[in-house]
Each structure stands twice: as C-alpha cells, then as structure tokens.
Amino acid sequence: MGKSKLLFITHEMSPFLELTKIAEITRQLPQAMQEKGYEIRILMPRFGNINERRNRLHEVIRLSGMNIIIDDNDNPLIIKVASIPAARMQVYFLDNEEYFQRKHVFADKEGKFYADNDERMIFFCKGALETVKKLGWAPDVIHCHGWMSALVPAYLKTTYKDDPTFKHSKIIYSIYENDFKEQLHNDFATKAIMSNMNEQHVAPYKGGTNSALYAGAIHYSDGIVLGSPDIDADVLNNVKNSNKSVLEFDSTADFENYYNFYDEITNDELVDVA
C-alpha cells in the first residue's frame, strides 16, 4: 500500500503570499505531514504580486490549456509550479490573466473589494479540482484553507462525488476569523452552480458574506478545523450544530493533533450531504 495522499488548497502560503496566519499554517503543516509519511500536493492562486522570478515559478505545459467556464464564458487556466527546496515540496499555482494579474489581491489600491471576487473564487475552486484530475493523483484527504476555497467541499459532494479521482476523498475545512466584511456579487451562488447541481445545493452559500461561505463549507465538509481563537460567534454556532468532527484550536506548533484528525476522518464512513 502506497503513502496516503494529502491535498492542500489555499489562497495564501508563505513565502509566496503572506496576508494572514493562514500563510504560516499552510507552510508548516504540509511539511509536518510530509515528515509523517504523507504524500503532499499544494494548490493556490498565482496572484499578480507573487514574484515569478524570485520564486522560480515555471509553467507546467502538460497541465495548462484547460478552460474553466463561468457564467457561459471560457477562462483559460495556466498552471505553474515552484519548489520549496528546504521542504522538498512543490506548490502548483493557478493562473489566469484576467482574474489574477493584478497588483493587489482582493481589493484595489483604494481598498475597494473587487467586484469579480466571486468569479475569481469560482475559477479557483473549479480549476483546482480539474488540475488534480489532470495530475491523475487521487487524494485521500483534501484540506481547504481560507474563504476562497469554500466552494471546493460543495463541488466534491455534488459534481465530482462519483469521479474516480475524488470518490474516496475526505474533505476537511479550516475556519479562521472573517477576512472580509463585504459581500460577493448577488448572483454569486447561481454562477457557482456546476453540472449535477441546482439552487438547493448552493443555498448554504447565499448571501455571499464571509460567514455564508463558511456555512456552505461546513455543510459539505467531513471535518472542521478551528484555525483561530477569534472565530465569529455565528460561525462557531454553525459548526456546533453541524455535528461534524471538529479539531479545536490549538496555539502550539505541534501538528500531531492534525495527523490524528486526518486519521480519524479517513476512517469515518463517507456521508452524502448533497
């Protein structure tokens, strides 16, 4: 039997992009799990302020060339990769000129939330799963970090639930303090619908607030990690009422609790929540 496969999907990771504490945990946790025997893959967006030359990003031709459809528009997906030599880990970057080639990440230089952050999120979540399929690499556990990955659990439990790459994958979602106070586009939930999905499947995400995105991810995930001591009270209540397995917040850098949690979730029966 080969190594267990662990996929991380995040919108930030040190040293490439450091916005919040997510960047630190997504740098340290994968390495710790690799040292415990997991085979690791990491996916994140290639935002415009990530320096390609300094970080030695280069395009992966065999993975690039897909189109991700959003609101009936084709959006080309370019895949780039960089290595972290000290950790022997590779990070795959999802790139698209229209969505990610900007000097700022989620808001413009005046601090105004980008109007198309909803489409950027949908592109990233769809693109991440299509990239893993093209890699031909079936993860045992998929661990999502940050609001930008919040649609991944829904897609895995609906459109991709019978896909050979993901049909045995367990989904874990880490919740942090709310990153934004704005609201995604009013049509966000409708735009997010994929094949084998309907309005009911995206209902938990409606409202497009940070808390609503967490609500959707909680609904569809197999396990929840509390990644911060400052989580919104409504979100915490949502976690409590979900009856999902929960890893409580731990301020220490000992990742044994994550290793045990992955093992617990992997041995649980798959639950159909769609």
Side-chain angles (χ1 to χ4, degrees), residues 97-214:
E97 184 174 353
E98 182 177 348
Y99 286 138
F100 296 137
Q101 292 308 305
R102 306 172 187 181
K103 292 181 179 180
H104 304 276
V105 181
F106 297 127
D108 63 22
K109 62 182 180 181
E110 278 83 35
K112 185 178 180 182
F113 202 59
Y114 286 127
D116 64 349
N117 274 338
D118 61 330
E119 294 189 5
R120 300 170 87 210
M121 174 190 183
I122 295 167
F123 178 87
F124 176 56
C125 292
K126 288 183 177 182
L129 297 179
E130 287 299 313
T131 299
V132 176
K133 280 184 63 176
K134 205 163 183 179
L135 276 169
W137 187 80
D140 298 289
V141 178
I142 300 171
H143 191 169
C144 298
H145 296 258
W147 66 267
M148 206 175 183
S149 67
L151 283 169
V152 168
Y155 290 155
L156 287 168
K157 293 291 188 178
T158 54
T159 301
Y160 292 91
K161 70 176 182 178
D162 295 319
D163 190 290
T165 304
F166 301 112
K167 65 187 302 182
H168 301 299
S169 301
K170 294 297 183 69
I171 312 156
I172 294 174
Y173 190 84
S174 276
I175 293 171
Y176 300 87
E177 59 264 40
N178 286 8
D179 285 339
F180 66 92
K181 296 180 173 63
E182 297 84 356
Q183 186 175 337
L184 297 180
H185 195 280
N186 290 336
D187 295 334
F188 156 67
T190 303
K191 289 181 190 176
I193 293 174
M194 291 187 71
S195 58
N196 300 319
M197 294 179 73
N198 56 43
E199 293 279 352
Q200 185 177 347
H201 289 128
V202 293
Y205 295 91
K206 282 198 170 171
T209 61
N210 201 151
S211 294
L213 300 183
Y214 283 159

